Amino acid sequence: MAPLAAPAGASPAAAPELDPVDREEHHQLDHVRALFTQTPATLTGNAVGLVLVLLLFAGSAEPVRMAVWATLAAVLLVLRLLHYIRYRRNPRADDATMRRWRVSWKALVLLQGAMWGVAAWLFWGLGTPYDSLALLLIVYSYCLGSVQLLSTQWRVFLAFISLVLVPTILRVATDTSQPGHWQLAGILTLLFGITVLMARTAGSALGQAIRLKSRTDALALQLRIEKAEADAARRAAEAASRAKTQFFAAASHDLRQPLHAMGLFAEALRQRIRDPEVASLVNSINESVDALEGLFGELLDITRIDTGGVEVNPAPVRLKELFARLRLHFEPVAFEKGLALGFRGEQHVVQADPVLLERILRNLVSNAIRYTDDGGVLVSCRRWRGGLRVQVWDSGIGIPEAQLPRIFDEFFQVQGNRPLQAHQRKGLGLGLAIVKRLGGLMGTEVSVRSRVGHGTVFTLDLPPGKAPRPLETPAGGARTPIGLTLEGRHFVVVEDEAAVREGLVVLLQAWGATVTAFETVEAVRAWLASAEAEAPDLLLVDYRLPQGSTGLAVLVAARARWPQQKLPAIVITGSSLGGHEDEALTHDFHLLIKPVLPNKLRAMIAFKLGVR
């Protein structure tokens, strides 16, 4: 039984404290257990000594004397062996049992010591002087062996060595037939004292080691208990963090709905007003919605990264397709600011997580456009020292050198020599923190160089990837316009939120389209089965619909109704946790995250319809 065992699940304070007497008793019992484990070696040594004595004095000692002594020695060996076997069958015996076994163990050890003292008395002086000297060496070797074994059992050791050496010393001292017997007895007496001193020193050191072991065991027990509590607290914290992330994701979906509707109504209102003052107010509403969208995205991203909710899945990434998506997303914004948006090195293939890499580049390009008022933004890739170097350049306001070490910190925004414009102050300062953490997840460091008034370049180095099989590309492409007219176009809108649905209808009608709107999948199916159903130019559906349905059911039903049309589709969702990429490939649609700003919706519609 462990000396300081605590009940399972007990706290460190619950570990039992022993008084000094009980603690010392535990130490003694621990050492007896250790002595039991050394019994085979001890018995082997005694058996060898017994055989040597028999060989030395077989021709000179009386047979009866020899037989009686050898029989008693063999009986003691057998008893000690049985004693050891009993211990081996129950090595974890409780303290009460060990106390009983300690008594019998002491008796056997002392009897064996007496056996060797009797051997010195019985066989001294027989045979040659070399035989007597060999007898002394055999007897004294057991005294030396007992120093290590019995030093912590001080009383047992004194009794054992006295039973061995006192008869030996007396027998040598009283042997007047041998010259120098007094000198030899004196030497044996001196060895007796030296052996006792050695045992005292060894016992003190070994006792200290045992006490240290007990203390270590107690500390290890306390550490295990504290570690268990820390692990439980960590698991609780991780569960709370996951719950927080899931709650934030779900709440963000509900919060994005009114923002989405607000942006749509504001844009539809802007299309109809002529008063410059009112138009300015509407533009301010649009900018606020845009800022709130960025805040939602940044907060959710940083939460997912910190809670380990982002998995890294490296794969070959064609920069041609990635750059095309970035161009589609940012070209309208850059055009509105009068900036040139360029891409170089699109022929390269890198080995990286495609989702994380695109997220990094989106954040960097968005920042570059935001802080650049003249010139342009360039996204490039080139070979560099056996790998590929991806960079985002801009000719913007630049970053002061003193602030460069802090730009990747959370909630830090660059303060230049001139005040930032309103569109440059958007956000919480989390974009670059997200970039750095995503880069760390992919095993690459994002570095930056900048000159105030000249621009900034962000760099990440990636390993080259093996080019995947080429993808079929459309014969013709279209650049997304800023102006868009949808005269003569027919759209089908499926959205269960009344405000969002009405906002989409109003906005699309303001752009010149005719709109057929539905709330549920069942309503769409009923319309498809009617004679009034007319093939739409575009499907614009919400992902999450009532009664557990999704917008994918709408796509399947509509395309089954007009299989030759290959109806283009846009799916809108309020969840930014991702996971729709495979569905987008399978069902051939593009995804927009709520709140969808009118300019993004306009650009996506133009892309899907191939409108110049």
Side-chain angles (χ1 to χ4, degrees):
M1 186 171 74
L4 292 176
S11 65
E17 292 293 337
L18 301 177
D19 60 51
V21 175
D22 289 339
R23 189 179 297 114
E24 183 62 28
E25 179 70 12
H26 274 283
H27 295 164
Q28 292 292 330
L29 293 178
D30 278 348
H31 190 59
V32 170
R33 288 186 174 90
L35 292 175
F36 269 118
T37 62
Q38 300 179 45
T39 297
T42 304
L43 295 180
T44 301
N46 277 274
V48 171
L50 173 61
V51 172
L52 290 176
V53 170
L54 293 176
L55 292 175
L56 286 172
F57 300 104
S60 57
E62 295 180 6
V64 175
R65 181 188 305 181
M66 178 73 74
V68 171
W69 180 85
T71 301
L72 293 176
V75 169
L76 287 175
L77 286 174
V78 171
L79 289 176
R80 290 199 66 186
L81 179 60
L82 294 175
H83 208 252
Y84 170 72
I85 292 173
R86 180 175 62 178
Y87 168 77
R88 289 297 300 168
R89 288 177 177 176
N90 188 17
R92 298 183 180 275
D94 56 31
D95 285 359
T97 302
M98 287 303 302
R99 290 188 184 96
R100 294 195 304 271
W101 290 355
R102 180 173 60 179
V103 173
S104 56
W105 174 82
K106 287 180 179 180
L108 291 173
V109 167
L110 294 179
L111 286 173
Q112 205 157 35
M115 181 199 72
W116 287 110
V118 170
W121 190 274
L122 291 177
F123 303 121
W124 172 259
L126 301 178
T128 67
Y130 293 107
D131 294 336
S132 298
L133 180 60
L135 177 63
L136 291 181
L137 291 175
I138 292 171
V139 170
Y140 186 66
S141 67
Y142 289 107
C143 296
L144 289 179
S146 67
V147 170
Q148 184 66 27
L149 292 175
L150 304 177
S151 56
T152 58
Q153 309 290 319
W154 180 241
R155 294 178 182 178
V156 179
F157 171 77
L158 285 179
F160 177 86
I161 197 172
S162 298
L163 289 171
V164 175
L165 287 184
V166 170
T168 304
I169 293 171
L170 292 175
R171 181 69 181 88
V172 172
T174 57
D175 185 12
T176 58
S177 64
Q178 296 290 341
H181 62 96
W182 285 110
Q183 293 87 337
L184 183 58
I187 291 173
L188 289 175
T189 303
L190 181 61
L191 290 175
F192 183 100
I194 292 174
T195 306
V196 170
L197 180 61
M198 289 170 55
R200 193 68 174 175
T201 304
S204 176
L206 189 56
Q208 180 68 17
I210 292 176
R211 284 189 289 273
L212 288 175
K213 177 182 178 297
S214 298
R215 178 61 177 165
T216 302
D217 290 342
L219 291 175
L221 171 64
Q222 182 176 354
L223 183 61
R224 286 195 299 271
I225 294 172
E226 292 178 351
K227 182 178 182 297
E229 292 179 344
D231 288 342
R234 176 180 55 79
R235 287 191 294 270
E238 289 176 350
S241 182
R242 287 192 298 269
K244 178 188 70 175
T245 303
Q246 293 170 357
F247 169 78
F248 188 77
S252 68
H253 174 273
D254 294 335
L255 291 173
R256 287 170 189 266
Q257 294 285 74
L259 287 177
H260 182 41
M262 184 188 306
L264 298 175
F265 281 123
E267 177 62 19
L269 180 61
R270 190 179 67 83
Q271 298 278 337
R272 300 184 180 187
I273 58 177
R274 298 293 180 266
D275 188 336
E277 186 174 344
V278 177
S280 177
L281 291 175
V282 173
N283 288 334
S284 297
I285 294 175
N286 281 331
E287 290 178 359
S288 298
V289 174
D290 190 8
L292 283 173
E293 178 197 20
L295 294 180
F296 274 124
E298 289 179 352
L299 286 173
L300 187 58
D301 282 345
I302 206 76
T303 302
R304 290 178 63 204
I305 295 171
D306 287 343
T307 55
V310 177
E311 296 183 358
V312 182
N313 300 302
V317 180
R318 285 181 178 273
L319 293 185
K320 181 177 182 180
E321 284 80 12
L322 176 56
F323 286 176
R325 291 193 296 271
L326 293 175
R327 178 181 286 111
L328 170 68
H329 187 84
F330 290 105
E331 201 168 38
V333 184
F335 184 82
E336 282 183 337
K337 292 191 68 175
L339 302 177
L341 178 61
F343 296 87
R344 301 282 178 82
E346 62 182 14
Q347 74 276 9
H348 294 297
V349 178
V350 299
Q351 184 74 14
D353 185 293
V355 176
L356 302 189
L357 177 59
E358 182 168 349
R359 181 60 171 157
I360 289 174
L361 292 180
R362 280 177 178 269
N363 278 8
L364 293 178
V365 174
S366 176
N367 271 5
I369 293 175
R370 179 182 300 174
Y371 294 104
T372 301
D373 294 326
D374 187 27
V377 175
L378 174 65
V379 183
S380 68
C381 179
R382 57 191 173 92
R383 298 193 180 277
W384 177 262
R385 296 180 179 178
L388 294 172
R389 171 161 286 188
V390 179
Q391 295 178 303
V392 177
W393 303 75
D394 68 63
S395 57
I397 60 177
I399 304 171
E401 185 176 357
Q403 298 184 25
L404 282 177
R406 296 192 57 197
I407 63 171
F408 293 107
D409 294 344
E410 293 91 343
F411 308 111
F412 178 79
Q413 291 183 307
V414 174
Q415 302 297 323
N417 297 327
R418 58 191 177 107
L420 299 178
Q421 301 298 319
H423 67 278
Q424 295 171 341
R425 294 195 298 268
K426 294 178 181 178
L428 293 175
L430 292 175
L432 291 181
I434 293 171
V435 165
K436 186 174 182 64
R437 296 189 189 190
L438 292 180
L441 289 176
M442 292 199 306
T444 183
E445 181 180 358
V446 181
S447 60
V448 58
R449 291 183 291 112
S450 184
R451 288 179 60 193
V452 176
H454 291 78
T456 304
V457 55
F458 287 88
T459 301
L460 62 154
D461 294 321
L462 299 170
K466 184 178 179 180
R469 295 178 60 184
L471 300 175
E472 294 184 2
T473 56
R479 294 167 60 93
T480 304
I482 290 303
L484 179 67
T485 177
L486 300 177
E487 294 291 341
R489 301 286 186 169
H490 175 215
F491 286 9
V492 168
V493 172
V494 185
E495 169 63 62
D496 60 317
E497 287 285 336
V500 176
R501 185 173 64 253
E502 185 178 351
L504 277 172
V505 171
V506 171
L507 181 60
L508 294 173
Q509 288 176 344
W511 288 343
T514 59
V515 183
T516 304
F518 301 97
E519 182 178 357
T520 64
V521 176
E522 288 72 16
V524 175
R525 287 172 176 162
W527 174 75
L528 292 174
S530 67
E532 294 82 11
E534 178 185 351
D537 295 289
L538 180 68
L539 299 170
L540 194 62
V541 302
D542 188 28
Y543 184 84
R544 186 188 300 178
L545 294 173
Q547 302 175 351
S549 300
T550 68
L552 304 184
V554 175
L555 304 188
V556 172
R559 287 168 175 168
R561 174 68 171 79
W562 295 287
Q564 306 299 324
Q565 301 278 341
K566 294 184 179 180
L567 298 178
I570 299 173
V571 174
I572 302 175
T573 179
S575 172
S576 59
L577 287 179
H580 301 300
E581 291 79 10
D582 292 340
E583 292 177 327
L585 291 175
T586 303
H587 294 277
D588 187 22
F589 65 83
H590 278 70
L591 193 71
L592 287 176
I593 307 298
K594 296 179 181 178
V596 179
L597 299 180
N599 63 331
K600 291 184 179 179
L601 178 62
R602 184 171 55 230
M604 182 61 73
I605 290 174
F607 171 76
K608 298 296 289 186
L609 298 181
V611 177
R612 290 190 176 275

